[in-house]
Amino acid sequence: MQIIDLFVVRWVWWWCGWEAVGVAYQPSPSTAVASLPPLSRPQLAEARRVRAVELFEEGVSNAEIAQAVGVCAESVRRWRRAWQKGGASALRRRAATGRPPKLDDAQVETVRAALEQGAQAHGFEADLWTLERVRTVVERVTGVVLSRASAWRLLTGRLGWSLQRPERRAVEKDESEIARWIAHEWPHIKKGP
């Protein structure tokens, strides 16, 4: 079974500046244990606000709460004002307005399971996901056609994946030949004519 190790780092604009938000996700290698999906950015933000409410109720200061949940003090002051006016429900995430997503939660989980199998399991040469390949797999498993932008939002927003650039390395690289060249050829070149 292939283990997928992803680390998502997003630069998020908080009230007082840019802040890096990271989420590590590594599914369990055991097939008997179902792995939990990673939290999306809105879910992480809501979890911070819920923790802040718990600390408000304990009487913790804004500065201590800001440090505990990893935001600036201005955000905590804003949250406290909202909490005082509307209670804990004022800090809960609200349902998104606008057009509903093309994929429901069950379909997203089906896509997640398909993508975690790897690209080669779906007939692609290399085990590398591109937006075009993701679109193809989504269409195969759900019948829904996504645009490139929608595929990107699915990967980064709903699945919690991030852009990973492959390491550039020559396939033909021969370590023993490189060591031989450095030991025998390079000294002659370095001496000069």
Side-chain angles (χ1 to χ4, degrees):
M1 169 153 191
Q2 177 184 9
I3 296 177
I4 299 171
D5 187 11
L6 298 174
F7 186 77
V8 180
V9 174
R10 297 184 183 108
W11 285 93
V12 179
W13 175 256
W14 293 103
W15 183 262
C16 55
W18 288 99
E19 177 180 329
V21 177
V23 180
Y25 171 58
Q26 184 176 10
S28 170
S30 169
T31 55
V33 178
S35 63
L36 295 174
L39 294 177
S40 66
R41 191 174 108 199
Q43 290 170 330
L44 284 172
E46 184 178 20
R48 285 182 166 163
R49 292 190 303 269
V50 167
R51 178 66 181 136
V53 166
E54 293 169 357
L55 296 173
F56 291 154
E57 292 170 349
E58 293 174 12
V60 179
S61 72
N62 287 353
E64 292 172 329
I65 294 172
Q67 186 175 12
V69 298
V71 298
C72 66
E74 179 57 35
S75 294
V76 176
R77 283 191 290 276
R78 205 170 10 97
W79 294 347
R80 188 180 291 270
R81 285 191 301 270
W83 174 68
Q84 288 169 339
K85 287 181 184 177
S89 61
L91 294 176
R92 290 284 183 184
R93 189 168 51 136
R94 289 168 184 77
T97 59
R99 182 177 179 171
K102 288 185 175 182
L103 298 174
D104 61 22
D105 291 339
Q107 289 173 316
V108 169
E109 289 308 312
T110 303
V111 169
R112 178 192 310 277
L115 295 178
E116 286 177 350
Q117 292 173 357
Q120 289 178 332
H122 294 280
F124 299 108
E125 281 183 30
D127 210 15
L128 179 72
W129 287 114
T130 64
L131 289 179
E132 294 304 321
R133 289 178 177 186
V134 169
R135 290 176 62 206
T136 302
V137 170
V138 168
E139 188 173 356
R140 281 181 195 163
V141 299
T142 65
V144 176
V145 178
L146 295 180
S147 67
R148 289 176 54 88
S150 294
W152 177 253
R153 282 191 301 271
L154 170 68
L155 289 173
T156 59
R158 296 186 73 187
L159 294 177
W161 289 24
S162 68
L163 176 65
Q164 304 288 314
R165 298 221 184 259
E167 194 175 302
R168 300 263 182 212
R169 195 175 337 140
V171 176
E172 305 84 14
K173 187 175 181 179
D174 183 3
E175 293 295 334
S176 63
E177 179 61 23
I178 292 170
R180 187 204 62 76
W181 186 88
I182 290 173
H184 299 292
E185 302 293 328
W186 177 242
H188 297 296
I189 295 171
K190 192 172 177 181
K191 272 191 218 177

